[in-house]
Amino acid sequence: MATTIKDIARIAGVSPSTVSRILSNKKTLSSGYAPETISKINQIAKDLNYRKNRSAIELVTKTSQVLGIILPASPTNFAQEIIAGIQKVASLHDIDVIIAYAGEDSELLQMQALKTISERSVRGILLLGITLSATNAQFLRASDIPYIFLSVAQPEPDLPFIASNDFDIGYQATNYLIMHGHREIAFVGADIPSCVGQLRLDGYRQALKDHQIAYRADYVIPGNWLYEDGIQAMNMLEKLPHLTAVVAGSDLVAAGVINRARQLHHHIPSDLSIIGIDGTALCDIIYPQLTSIQQSFYEMGVKGTEQLIRQANITSSYTPICTKKGGSVATRNKQNE
Amino acid sequence: MATTIKDIARIAGVSPSTVSRILSNKKTLSSGYAPETISKINQIAKDLNYRKNRSAIELVTKTSQVLGIILPASPTNFAQEIIAGIQKVASLHDIDVIIAYAGEDSELLQMQALKTISERSVRGILLLGITLSATNAQFLRASDIPYIFLSVAQPEPDLPFIASNDFDIGYQATNYLIMHGHREIAFVGADIPSCVGQLRLDGYRQALKDHQIAYRADYVIPGNWLYEDGIQAMNMLEKLPHLTAVVAGSDLVAAGVINRARQLHHHIPSDLSIIGIDGTALCDIIYPQLTSIQQSFYEMGVKGTEQLIRQANITSSYTPICTKKGGSVATRNKQNE
DNA sequence: TTGTAAGCGTTATCAG
DNA sequence: CTGATAACGCTTACAA
């Protein structure tokens, strides 16, 4: 049987209210108590190994110091960075974090995760790297808990998000290669049906168009942002002799392309230039080091958490992207073509 | 104002207990209700957008379907794998997961995380990759919540754990290199003061001893399991001309050693052989692919979670390790020495 | 098959 | 400055 406030009150010879006030340490109230009483209560609490009962507190106060995070079942390698940002801000405000995992594609698992989080009186919900089905989005709206999506821009205006501008990412990645003299550029490993994939592809196409480069459907090889997708993509790229550069959907995809290219005796970057997307720690670890469009993941976590904690009205915004230079892109002499 | 069971009861014209019984879906009880009543209640609940109040439920039932996880502030790259294992088992049992972050070295932050978790009526606590201070360990024992440490073996017998045998890891890594003809072997990047680091070093020394190889203190370069430690270590290894092989404390350290070695124009593995520890996905991604002593992280998560859920008495155990072969170790001709 | 009532541990309101 | 007392939303004997 766990120790309660009543136990302490009985032993100390005071009322439960007194104990509650002292233990919950409200500045305005406990300041009035005799230091003697205060230390006595604290001592007994320690002796009896007293622990607050959060359920009781949350029930009566109807508030909590908890933030809910919903993650895709297989968190991407940058989820870590976003969570670090969340964690940083949360701990600054003495706020705890609950995590629930949602299957990306299973509507049922999504709902499960939403319920898990929304049934606990959380102060806000952060949805990382997922897109909800219409039904589930409706459920979320109806919960009257503040929420914000991170890293995936949402089309509906009442689903606020903090993310990179994926069109810009696609555009800049492609443009970077064009600026280095490439005109035969593949776009591989992205999950095209997804919002993110679609926008990046749009950016890729626009960059081509702006430089009078014809779009070729066989230069687009879809995937799921995975290392294996890079491997697969490279197998197909082999058959495209004019190709000189690749936009990879993620750093992982880029790593797959690079490694498979090496196995096929193509030299990176002299035979084939590659630019990644994400700018994760992986860029420095693989060889050659990867040039990548870097996203501000940590900042997404920070900004999202601050908004939720501040309780102000939540607004969508984009975080900056920048080009992180590695050694995977070579300048191409235009005469070569 | 959120909908409660009473609201539903009032509208349906039944008592709150009826609603409670139907909504909580106890097989034994709700089976007795008229199907009509049941569907009516469910319909109203849906219409009114009813959500259970977990605080109230946990307060009255004094149990919960939640598992607490405590993570080091900067989770290692394999934490993901362990969590995946935890998540897998937990979701199978309809159990939620709460995560709190503890600063590895700060006793205060550790305590903070312990409080966070133990104040919520969790069913059990999983401690990932951390070692508690004596005071904090005592706090944990006193909480009367079942707990288990994952991935770090604990010296005290009343702190159950599931981990790899770190002595064996150190021994096998070293032995693998010896079996490939190496006798001048460095041991780098490990956090020597830690339990894990100490045990692996012991294994390393024992392997040397078993093959009549003298231990050399200048062959041991401590670190913190990080990529940067590998870089640093390689800078120092440069000055040791007889060296032919390296045991890296982690895959990340190995990646650092390899990349720095390349910059210094040493060829891997012909000039220098390297074996990593952990066997993470990174092994396949870096070049050359890394030979590594692989740990069973996923299994640690699975086994730990099952133990906690089963509520049986928790016992320590070791998960298996195996050698994952890459291309970073070369066989050395013994005559060369 | 359903209803009544007590109580989980805490805080908040209001007296004293 | 301190103490009753009532709530918070739910479950669960016990009654009917």
Side-chain angles (χ1 to χ4, degrees):
Chain A
M1 194 60 193
T3 311
T4 73
I5 270 190
K6 285 182 186 170
D7 299 328
I8 298 176
R10 191 164 21 79
I11 294 172
V14 298
S15 76
S17 334
T18 300
V19 178
S20 169
R21 284 187 280 245
I22 288 175
L23 254 30
S24 62
N25 200 33
K26 293 271 174 61
K27 321 93 199 134
T28 44
L29 298 171
S30 66
S31 60
Y33 281 93
E36 189 186 69
T37 316
I38 294 180
S39 67
K40 183 169 69 175
I41 298 293
N42 281 320
Q43 187 55 51
I44 297 177
K46 187 174 288 181
D47 291 348
L48 263 51
N49 192 27
Y50 170 76
R51 317 272 165 119
K52 291 184 185 176
N53 183 323
R54 287 278 168 206
S55 303
I57 295 176
E58 287 174 7
L59 179 58
V60 67
T61 64
K62 299 178 122 177
T63 67
S64 82
Q65 300 294 68
V66 180
L67 239 37
I69 302 182
I70 296 187
L71 287 181
S74 54
T76 42
N77 55 328
F78 55 77
Q80 192 82 262
E81 284 186 58
I82 303 183
I83 294 176
I86 294 172
Q87 183 52 29
K88 173 71 182 174
V89 177
S91 77
L92 230 54
H93 292 258
D94 265 317
I95 282 180
D96 299 335
V97 158
I98 286 183
I99 294 186
Y101 291 81
E104 170 69 51
D105 19 6
S106 155
E107 188 162 344
L108 228 68
L109 288 177
Q110 271 189 359
M111 177 56 88
Q112 185 64 38
L114 282 173
K115 271 194 179 141
T116 291
I117 294 288
S118 72
E119 285 175 358
R120 300 170 182 284
S121 50
V122 296
R123 239 170 110 143
I125 302 179
L126 295 147
L127 300 103
L128 250 70
I130 65 174
T131 308
L132 294 184
S133 73
T135 325
N136 290 345
Q138 196 46 49
F139 181 87
L140 182 62
R141 290 192 193 92
S143 74
D144 87 1
I145 301 174
Y147 54 87
I148 191 160
F149 289 78
L150 300 183
S151 98
V152 179
Q154 305 290 317
E156 281 119 302
D158 61 339
L159 297 181
F161 63 85
I162 299 180
S164 301
N165 184 323
D166 284 296
F167 179 90
D168 286 356
I169 287 180
Y171 191 96
Q172 285 196 24
T174 312
N175 194 58
Y176 185 88
L177 294 173
I178 295 173
M179 290 296 112
H180 282 72
H182 297 274
R183 297 184 65 84
E184 303 287 329
I185 302 170
F187 179 86
V188 311
D191 179 28
I192 305 290
S194 72
C195 296
V196 171
Q198 191 60 58
L199 284 165
R200 290 187 187 170
L201 179 60
D202 290 348
Y204 161 79
R205 297 186 67 159
Q206 186 63 48
L208 293 181
K209 198 172 171 189
D210 286 355
H211 294 85
Q212 288 84 41
I213 301 172
Y215 168 77
R216 286 178 53 168
D218 59 341
Y219 275 8
V220 175
I221 303 172
N224 251 304
W225 320 111
L226 301 176
Y227 178 77
E228 287 71 25
D229 294 324
I231 303 277
Q232 292 303 325
M234 190 59 219
N235 285 334
M236 309 192 61
L237 295 180
E238 258 255 294
K239 297 160 196 154
L240 303 169
H242 299 300
L243 197 79
T244 68
V246 177
V247 176
S250 71
D251 292 342
L252 269 178
V253 170
V257 171
I258 288 177
N259 284 350
R260 184 62 186 144
R262 179 165 29 230
Q263 285 174 351
L264 297 170
H265 306 293
H266 298 298
H267 188 260
I268 310 283
S270 59
D271 296 339
L272 191 65
S273 287
I274 296 170
I275 188 165
I277 292 178
D278 285 346
T280 58
L282 193 60
C283 294
D284 297 325
I285 292 177
I286 61 177
Y287 181 78
Q289 292 193 343
L290 186 64
T291 296
S292 185
I293 304 296
Q294 185 165 35
Q295 302 192 59
S296 309
F297 293 118
Y298 186 86
E299 188 179 340
M300 289 180 200
V302 168
K303 286 180 69 176
T305 311
E306 279 172 349
Q307 285 215 34
L308 248 33
I309 291 177
R310 199 181 309 120
Q311 299 279 38
N313 66 330
I314 319 269
T315 56
S316 292
S317 64
Y318 289 107
T319 46
I321 58 178
C322 68
T323 306
K324 179 176 179 177
K325 298 206 171 100
S328 63
V329 175
T331 302
R332 190 171 170 77
N333 189 333
K334 282 177 188 173
Q335 281 78 8
N336 284 3
E337 275 182 64
Chain B
M1 194 59 194
T3 311
T4 74
I5 268 190
K6 283 184 188 168
D7 299 328
I8 298 176
R10 191 164 23 77
I11 294 172
V14 298
S15 77
S17 30
T18 299
V19 178
S20 168
R21 284 188 279 246
I22 288 175
L23 255 30
S24 63
N25 200 33
K26 293 273 175 57
K27 321 94 199 126
T28 44
L29 297 171
S30 66
S31 59
Y33 282 93
E36 189 187 66
T37 316
I38 294 180
S39 67
K40 183 169 68 175
I41 298 293
N42 281 321
Q43 187 55 50
I44 298 178
K46 186 173 289 181
D47 291 348
L48 264 49
N49 193 26
Y50 170 75
R51 318 271 166 121
K52 292 182 184 177
N53 183 323
R54 287 280 167 203
S55 303
I57 295 176
E58 287 174 7
L59 178 58
V60 65
T61 65
K62 299 177 124 183
T63 68
S64 80
Q65 300 294 67
V66 180
L67 239 38
I69 302 182
I70 296 186
L71 287 181
S74 54
T76 41
N77 55 329
F78 55 77
Q80 192 83 261
E81 284 186 57
I82 303 183
I83 294 177
I86 295 172
Q87 182 53 29
K88 173 72 182 172
V89 177
S91 76
L92 230 56
H93 292 256
D94 265 318
I95 282 180
D96 300 335
V97 157
I98 286 183
I99 295 186
Y101 291 81
E104 170 69 52
D105 20 5
S106 155
E107 188 162 344
L108 228 67
L109 288 177
Q110 270 189 1
M111 177 56 90
Q112 184 65 39
L114 282 173
K115 271 193 179 144
T116 291
I117 295 288
S118 72
E119 286 176 357
R120 302 171 181 284
S121 49
V122 295
R123 237 169 112 143
I125 302 178
L126 295 147
L127 301 104
L128 249 71
I130 65 174
T131 308
L132 295 184
S133 73
T135 325
N136 289 345
Q138 195 46 49
F139 181 87
L140 181 62
R141 288 192 194 92
S143 74
D144 85 2
I145 301 174
Y147 54 85
I148 191 159
F149 290 77
L150 299 183
S151 96
V152 179
Q154 304 291 317
E156 281 120 301
D158 61 340
L159 297 181
F161 63 84
I162 299 179
S164 301
N165 184 324
D166 284 297
F167 178 90
D168 288 355
I169 287 180
Y171 190 96
Q172 285 196 24
T174 312
N175 194 59
Y176 185 87
L177 295 173
I178 295 172
M179 290 296 112
H180 282 73
H182 297 274
R183 296 183 65 84
E184 303 288 329
I185 302 170
F187 180 86
V188 312
D191 180 30
I192 305 291
S194 72
C195 296
V196 171
Q198 192 59 58
L199 283 165
R200 290 187 188 170
L201 180 60
D202 290 348
Y204 161 80
R205 296 187 68 159
Q206 187 63 47
L208 294 180
K209 198 172 171 190
D210 287 356
H211 294 86
Q212 289 85 41
I213 301 172
Y215 167 78
R216 287 178 51 167
D218 59 342
Y219 275 8
V220 174
I221 303 173
N224 250 305
W225 320 110
L226 302 176
Y227 178 76
E228 287 71 25
D229 294 324
I231 303 278
Q232 292 303 326
M234 190 61 218
N235 286 334
M236 308 193 61
L237 295 180
E238 259 254 295
K239 297 162 195 152
L240 304 168
H242 299 299
L243 196 77
T244 69
V246 178
V247 175
S250 70
D251 292 342
L252 268 177
V253 169
V257 170
I258 287 177
N259 284 349
R260 184 61 185 144
R262 180 165 29 231
Q263 285 174 351
L264 297 171
H265 306 294
H266 296 299
H267 188 259
I268 309 286
S270 60
D271 295 340
L272 191 64
S273 288
I274 297 170
I275 188 166
I277 292 177
D278 285 345
T280 59
L282 192 60
C283 295
D284 297 324
I285 292 177
I286 61 177
Y287 180 79
Q289 293 194 341
L290 186 65
T291 296
S292 185
I293 304 295
Q294 184 164 37
Q295 302 191 58
S296 308
F297 293 118
Y298 186 86
E299 187 179 339
M300 288 180 199
V302 168
K303 286 180 69 175
T305 310
E306 278 172 350
Q307 285 215 34
L308 248 32
I309 290 178
R310 199 181 308 120
Q311 299 279 40
N313 66 331
I314 319 269
T315 56
S316 293
S317 63
Y318 289 106
T319 46
I321 58 178
C322 68
T323 306
K324 179 177 178 176
K325 297 205 172 101
S328 63
V329 174
T331 302
R332 190 171 172 77
N333 189 332
K334 281 177 188 174
Q335 281 78 6
N336 284 2
E337 274 180 63

